[in-house]
Amino acid sequence: MGRGRDWNVDLIPKFLMADGLLVKLLIHTGVTRYLDFKSIEGSYVYKDGKIHKVPSDEKEALASGLMGLFEKRRFRNFLIWVQEFDENDPKTFKDKNPHGPISEIYEKFGLDRGTIDFTGHAMALFLNDEYLKQPAIETIRRIKLYNQSLIRYGKSPYLYPLYGLGELPQGFARLSAIYGGTYMLDKPVDEIVMDEGGKVVGVRSGTETAKCKFVVCDPSYVPGRVKQVGKVVRAICILNHPIPNTKDSLSCQVIIPQNQVNRKSG
């Protein structure tokens, strides 16, 4: 958000897919009665040193500066195919193999490297290009989720809790209290109690033990039972200007694909 000449760029993802499983869970459980959401004003992608809006529909795809005239037509055909695709109806495959690598389908539609970049990273939200070797069905599902989320709230598929992600556990805490749940705050955890078979049966704090069937916790509580497989770079940048080409949006997402900055991940 910006006030005067101060603009904040938070490089910590805080958005929810509007039609994603988490939003559906929040609606199903009734936690949304304690939350207020806002829609992100736009999704953008970095390409060749410039910021471009990710096309939100066929009309925007044809007007996008991300692609040339003929590439826009090819991308439009790809989007239509994805929208009409039904994994339970082979007739909608139209001689494409959804169980082969997605790179083969990109090739059949004749999409160029730049289009593949923003499709995989800004729409399907893959962090690197390893997905190109994976079955196409996963990429198709992700793009369909992106499109379905767009339909729900307009020009962006993303939502965020008005006062940050911290509102989510607070909402669950309020709902849990209504149904008799007990919260013990600032309570030290001395041991995750296991039975002889290695299954979690409780959490011990001092001389008290709370019995349970499973535990949801930060990995730091069970260092001997987790394995680090990667790292996330986090940063907050304070700018003296709005991000160019985002129409001075109060909130937006900018995807930087790995190939645009010569990194292993986006």
Side-chain angles (χ1 to χ4, degrees):
M1 296 294 186
R3 178 176 296 177
R5 289 179 59 81
D6 295 327
W7 295 79
N8 176 59
V9 178
D10 190 341
L11 301 185
I12 304 173
K14 294 183 177 180
F15 303 153
L16 313 176
M17 294 299 287
D19 200 45
L21 290 177
L22 179 53
V23 172
K24 290 179 179 177
L25 173 66
L26 295 173
I27 295 172
H28 177 74
T29 56
V31 174
T32 48
R33 73 184 75 167
Y34 303 108
L35 299 171
D36 290 314
F37 287 95
K38 286 203 70 174
S39 177
I40 302 303
E41 293 185 15
S43 180
Y44 297 83
V45 64
Y46 178 83
K47 181 186 177 185
D48 299 332
K50 295 182 180 180
I51 301 295
H52 301 267
K53 190 176 189 303
V54 178
S56 59
D57 52 34
E58 295 171 23
K59 183 178 179 181
E60 283 195 1
L62 291 175
S64 175
L66 282 166
M67 301 164 284
L69 178 61
F70 295 110
E71 183 65 10
K72 289 175 182 178
R73 297 289 179 182
R74 290 190 286 266
F75 179 63
R76 177 179 178 274
N77 292 336
F78 172 74
L79 283 184
I80 292 174
W81 177 79
V82 169
Q83 290 169 1
E84 295 177 347
F85 179 89
D86 180 351
E87 55 189 281
N88 298 314
D89 182 4
K91 292 180 181 179
T92 64
F93 297 0
K94 297 180 180 177
D95 77 7
K96 314 294 191 303
N97 179 14
H99 304 293
I102 184 63
S103 57
E104 292 182 358
I105 292 180
Y106 286 153
E107 186 176 346
K108 286 200 172 189
F109 279 98
L111 302 183
D112 67 21
R113 179 71 258 179
T115 304
I116 292 172
D117 244 13
F118 81 75
T119 301
H121 295 284
M123 296 182 74
L125 301 181
F126 286 104
L127 295 179
N128 55 53
D129 279 349
E130 290 299 311
Y131 85 97
L132 291 170
K133 307 172 187 175
Q134 305 301 321
I137 188 68
E138 178 59 25
T139 303
I140 294 169
R141 287 169 181 164
R142 287 183 175 220
I143 296 175
K144 287 179 78 71
L145 172 60
Y146 186 96
N147 289 334
Q148 289 161 2
S149 297
L150 271 172
I151 291 170
R152 290 197 67 161
Y153 293 104
K155 293 297 182 181
S156 166
Y158 307 108
L159 303 175
Y160 65 96
L162 191 56
Y163 301 105
L165 291 184
E167 290 295 293
L168 295 181
Q170 288 191 54
F172 276 107
R174 294 179 187 125
L175 189 65
S176 176
I178 291 176
Y179 290 97
T182 301
Y183 276 75
M184 294 183 288
L185 305 178
D186 198 23
K187 193 85 168 175
V189 175
D190 296 314
E191 181 187 5
I192 305 292
V193 183
M194 308 280 186
D195 63 14
E196 294 179 356
K199 184 178 179 180
V200 173
V201 294
V203 178
R204 182 176 66 83
S205 178
T207 58
E208 297 178 301
T209 299
K211 295 182 179 180
C212 63
K213 295 180 180 179
F214 62 89
V215 170
V216 179
C217 68
D218 185 275
S220 61
Y221 287 99
V222 284
R225 294 177 175 272
V226 294
K227 177 183 178 182
Q228 180 175 305
V229 296
K231 294 183 178 180
V232 177
V233 177
R234 300 181 183 275
I236 294 177
C237 306
I238 308 298
L239 308 181
N240 64 359
H241 59 81
I243 299 175
N245 301 326
T246 59
K247 299 180 180 179
D248 291 354
S249 299
L250 293 178
S251 59
C252 66
Q253 174 169 263
V254 179
I255 300 287
I256 306 177
Q258 62 175 95
N259 294 321
Q260 296 296 321
V261 285
N262 297 317
R263 296 181 64 89
K264 293 181 180 180
S265 299

